[in-house]
Amino acid sequence: MEFEAVIGLEVHAQLLTESKIFCSCSAKFGAPPNENTCPVCTGMPGVLPVLNRKAVECAIRTALATSCSVQRKSVFARKNYFYPDLPKAYQISQYELPLALGGHIDIELPGGTKRIGITRIHMEEDAGKLVHEGEFAGAQASLADLNRCSVPLMEIVSEPDMRTPEEGGAYLRRLHDILVYLEVCDGNMEEGSFRCDANVSVRPKGREGFGTKAELKNMNSFRNVEKALEYEIRRQVELIEDGGSVVQETRLWDANAGVTLSMRRKEEAHDYRYFPDPDLLPLLVADEWVEELRKTIPELPAEKVARLSAGYGIPRYDAGILASSRALADFFEAAAALYRGNPKTTANECIHWKDVILSGRLSPGTIAHAVEDRESGTISATASKKLVELVLETGKPIRALRDEQGLTQLSDASALDAIVDRVIAASPKEVESYRGGKAGLLSYFVGQVMKESRGKANPKVVQETLKRKLG
Amino acid sequence: MAITREEVLHVARLARLALSDADADRLREQLGDLLEYMKQLDGLDTSGVVPTSHAVEMGTPFREDTVLPFGDPEAILSNAPDREDGFFRVPRIIED
């Protein structure tokens, strides 16, 4: 029997604000333990949460960029459970009435575009972090750092529209790029700013209903999400083929072992007893506010790929790499505006130096000059690469380095003529063989000319000149 | 009966309350009385009424996204029964 998987993804993204969602503590990562805490986020008696406007704006802009409908009224609810990283013993979240409903994003697959539905986007606060005392099983205590408590999050829940790990990966990457473009999330998966849980089930191909699902957690990279999905789908199919059945449970991805493991938890742990938070009035969003925010939505990745590809005549694949980061795409466009000669080469250079560009160590002018000089034959491809490296080392302008290092090549036919003539005169035997039909000897002559010119001759012009003179 | 003894014990467990048998019986009775009282609402026709989460007719106010450090982590930590290197020290959580 052939099986297919049904995958839905839940993404928790940390909203890019300065302060926490309900108090004025810093939301920054990496402060000393409990430095960024106050009576509100540590759940002291009598305090009141006050909602951060910027956090709401980030979530609304995400809703607009994913074609969700922003709800005029949404309600914050308490999700009740006991855990030492949650001092109030409830997490403020949205439950029955979330901020946004019913959107979608389009993902690019080898076979074309596929639309993945978005069920809802809601806002909530993060919990703190537990550090376990010692790594050994016998540890008696855990250490709680509440800096992350009440850091603003949004949860983006997809429809179960994905059928393969690749589709899951493509959806996550696209969603990630959208959030980073919008500047509503820094997208850092390692630091947990962008986290993903997956709901996975399998069913015989062609059947309508869903199988029993497992929830996967603890995947901290795109690759790990894909690998965890692959493993879990195989596990469920094998289980069913062996006559067993899938149990609804939460499973943790163990990246080192490459397996998902059951996380046994008592059922009642999921009895969250949600109810509207009496301390927070409903979140009302006026249409005018939404329209104002709609104007701040930048060109999004899918639109950028299409425009770069069509506008500069570069392959969609290259445009996709450039558009994977707004900064890289902007850099490419700046370089392509400085030298309009060959956008394809400029795109290649931007992709080649991607990491350095994103670290802010190159200017568009450097790439534009490198490409222009290469296209005009002033420098070779090798020299171009070497010059960019020198710019990175010394910080000097690329053309100053080019002249200083004498890396210009001889492209001027008349200047090369003399050298070519000398080489031909010095190798009568080879000339005779070449003219006798040994065409392969051309590379010998090219080599001699390159040697004579101490590597500065433009190989293309040398070849042409040799062919003409030996012809 | 508006609430069973099992439900009382379940809710008590969720609230981490240890109840004696006598407590459980007494609370079942009291909670049952409360629920019976609330049941009067079932007699009202609420078909045209929007669910009300709050009695105030306004939206939640906002604060601007500005950091104002509380500035006294020591005061926060001073409430901890146990601490270590700036952390709250809590009993180890056993998941299983």
Side-chain angles (χ1 to χ4, degrees), chain A residues 200-202 212 214 232-240 246:
Chain A
V200 197
S201 62
V202 298
T212 308
E232 182 61 19
I233 292 165
R234 200 171 62 237
R235 186 189 73 84
Q236 292 187 11
V237 169
E238 282 171 8
L239 197 62
I240 294 168
V246 178

Side-chain angles (χ1 to χ4, degrees), chain A residues 75-80 92-93 95-97 273-282, chain B residues 51-54:
Chain A
V75 169
F76 285 97
R78 292 186 180 179
K79 177 181 181 178
N80 299 280
I92 304 177
S93 181
Y95 187 56
E96 281 174 296
L97 297 171
R273 296 148 291 146
Y274 283 96
F275 64 90
D277 191 326
D279 287 346
L280 283 157
L281 290 166
Chain B
T52 306
S53 56
H54 300 76

Side-chain angles (χ1 to χ4, degrees), chain B residues 13-57:
Chain B
R13 236 183 347 264
L14 289 172
R16 302 296 187 272
L17 296 174
L19 301 186
S20 67
D21 283 354
D23 284 341
D25 288 332
R26 186 172 46 84
L27 284 166
R28 190 200 58 73
E29 214 166 290
Q30 290 181 353
L31 289 169
D33 287 347
L34 282 171
L35 290 167
E36 284 297 336
Y37 176 65
M38 297 297 284
K39 260 193 184 163
Q40 291 180 57
L41 292 173
D42 292 350
L44 296 173
D45 177 12
T46 55
S47 50
V49 180
V50 183
T52 306
S53 56
H54 300 76
V56 190
E57 281 286 325

Side-chain angles (χ1 to χ4, degrees), chain A residues 204-225:
Chain A
K205 208 165 182 164
R207 185 175 294 179
E208 282 286 311
F210 296 133
T212 308
K213 67 178 181 186
E215 187 182 5
L216 306 186
K217 288 181 180 287
N218 200 36
M219 304 161 291
N220 64 354
S221 71
F222 296 121
R223 192 67 202 112
N224 269 318
V225 172

Side-chain angles (χ1 to χ4, degrees), chain A residues 17-21 23-24 33-34 37-39 42 44 50-54 82-84 131 133 137 139-146 264-265 268 271 273 276-278 280-284 289, chain B residues 10-11 13-16 50-73 75-77 79 83-93 95-96:
Chain A
T17 58
E18 295 295 322
S19 64
K20 292 186 176 181
I21 184 168
C23 65
S24 302
N34 295 305
T37 58
C38 75
T42 54
M44 297 296 167
V50 187
L51 185 58
N52 183 335
R53 182 197 302 275
K54 172 86 184 293
F82 283 110
Y83 213 71
V131 184
E133 207 175 57
Q140 288 306 298
S142 295
L143 302 176
D145 172 8
L146 304 183
R264 283 175 295 274
R265 259 197 174 173
E268 70 178 18
D271 192 347
R273 296 148 291 146
D277 191 326
L280 283 157
L281 290 166
L283 168 54
L284 302 184
W289 193 16
Chain B
H10 174 67
V11 173
R13 236 183 347 264
L14 289 172
R16 302 296 187 272
V50 183
T52 306
S53 56
H54 300 76
V56 190
E57 281 286 325
M58 63 177 279
T60 195
F62 297 106
R63 34 170 282 273
E64 297 308 315
D65 182 29
T66 316
V67 175
L68 273 171
F70 175 61
D72 195 357
I76 299 288
L77 275 165
N79 290 294
R83 53 197 277 191
E84 187 176 320
D85 304 330
F87 290 96
F88 292 92
R89 190 166 183 274
V90 298
R92 180 169 173 262
I93 301 303
E95 293 276 350
D96 289 355

